[in-house]
Amino acid sequence: MQRALVLGGGGVTGVAWELGLLAGLAERGVPVTEADLVVGTSAGSVVGAQVRSGVPLEQLYEEQLAPPTGEVAARLGFLAVARLVWAGGRTRDAERSRARIGAMAVAARTPSEASRRAVIEARLPTREWPQRRLLVTAVDAATGEFVVFDGADGVSLVDAVGASCAVPGVWPPVTIGSRRFVDGGMRSTVNADLAAGARRVLILAPTSAAIGPMPRLSAQVDELRTAGAQVVVVTPDGSARTAIGRNVLDPARRAGAARAGRAQAAVVADEVTALWA
């Protein structure tokens, strides 16, 4: 495998920033969405499904600029973060930590699964898994097991992406068969280690935060490089962080985040081109 694109989590503004950055890179002749492998976590799973759908990247970008009419703004505020830290940070055992977060998510008062599924379905251009390889991450809410969906297991793309985006305490866990799943970002906001084996890895990370025993992005990058991969990590610059604001789940911030991502592409294009060529 030659090239992998890793798309990390970061809410609705993370989706917008990543699509802006990808559109800006494509505009400069760097088609990173043609990677042999795309890994998507949380917001990154939405972007991964979108860019693998065949819909033109420019169209996906333009959709991020539309006014958020009728969209419900959620909030991952201080209390929600505190609950995550409290639930997941009381043990050094990563799987147990994720199971505690999952239990918190199951007990939380959230919108219905059906209403949330409708939102996810509306964000995806297609309900079919792409022919080119896409990995979507999630976590079993009961056991804390890290799960990777790829379409080969019969799980629908909508359910896989919904599970990957099920932020604990904000959105409901997603039921698939007899199991319930929460956000893949509860294992890692990027899960860059899934790109192991690729010679060139581009990581877009709207956030690289980690709580408790979560693996750090820096450690995952070191592992990839030790294995011989060339790796470039892009995180939001100052202008993008300002555009994104403090609430990554606020649709009103989406257009600004998309534009900031596109502007940042001009700054990182040379580095990404050197990696991707």
Side-chain angles (χ1 to χ4, degrees), residues 138-208:
V139 167
D140 186 304
T143 65
E145 178 190 356
F146 179 57
V147 177
V148 181
F149 299 113
D150 63 1
D153 41 26
V155 174
S156 77
L157 181 61
V158 174
D159 286 337
V161 172
S164 193
C165 294
V167 181
V170 178
W171 306 122
V174 170
T175 302
I176 301 176
S178 61
R179 305 170 74 182
R180 301 189 78 189
F181 295 90
V182 295
D183 198 314
M186 296 304 100
R187 189 262 185 175
S188 162
T189 56
V190 287
N191 294 299
D193 54 323
L194 294 180
R199 294 180 60 186
R200 306 165 191 266
V201 182
L202 174 62
I203 301 171
L204 305 189
T207 177
S208 56

Side-chain angles (χ1 to χ4, degrees), residues 56-148:
L57 191 51
E58 193 64 28
Q59 179 180 329
L60 295 171
Y61 169 75
E62 290 294 334
E63 289 172 355
Q64 297 302 304
L65 306 182
T69 306
E71 294 188 50
V72 178
R75 184 169 186 83
L76 188 60
F78 174 78
L79 288 178
V81 173
R83 291 190 192 101
L84 285 175
V85 172
W86 180 81
R90 293 182 294 154
T91 175
R92 299 176 70 96
D93 184 294
E95 199 161 274
R96 178 181 290 184
S97 171
R98 297 193 294 268
R100 287 177 170 171
I101 292 173
M104 182 271 286
V106 170
R109 296 180 62 183
T110 64
S112 70
E113 280 194 61
S115 65
R116 179 59 179 164
R117 191 181 196 278
V119 171
I120 297 297
E121 191 169 19
R123 289 178 179 168
L124 302 184
T126 178
R127 303 342 174 217
E128 303 298 326
W129 282 89
Q131 292 185 349
R132 304 189 71 180
R133 198 169 180 218
L134 169 66
L135 302 182
V136 174
T137 67
V139 167
D140 186 304
T143 65
E145 178 190 356
F146 179 57
V147 177
V148 181

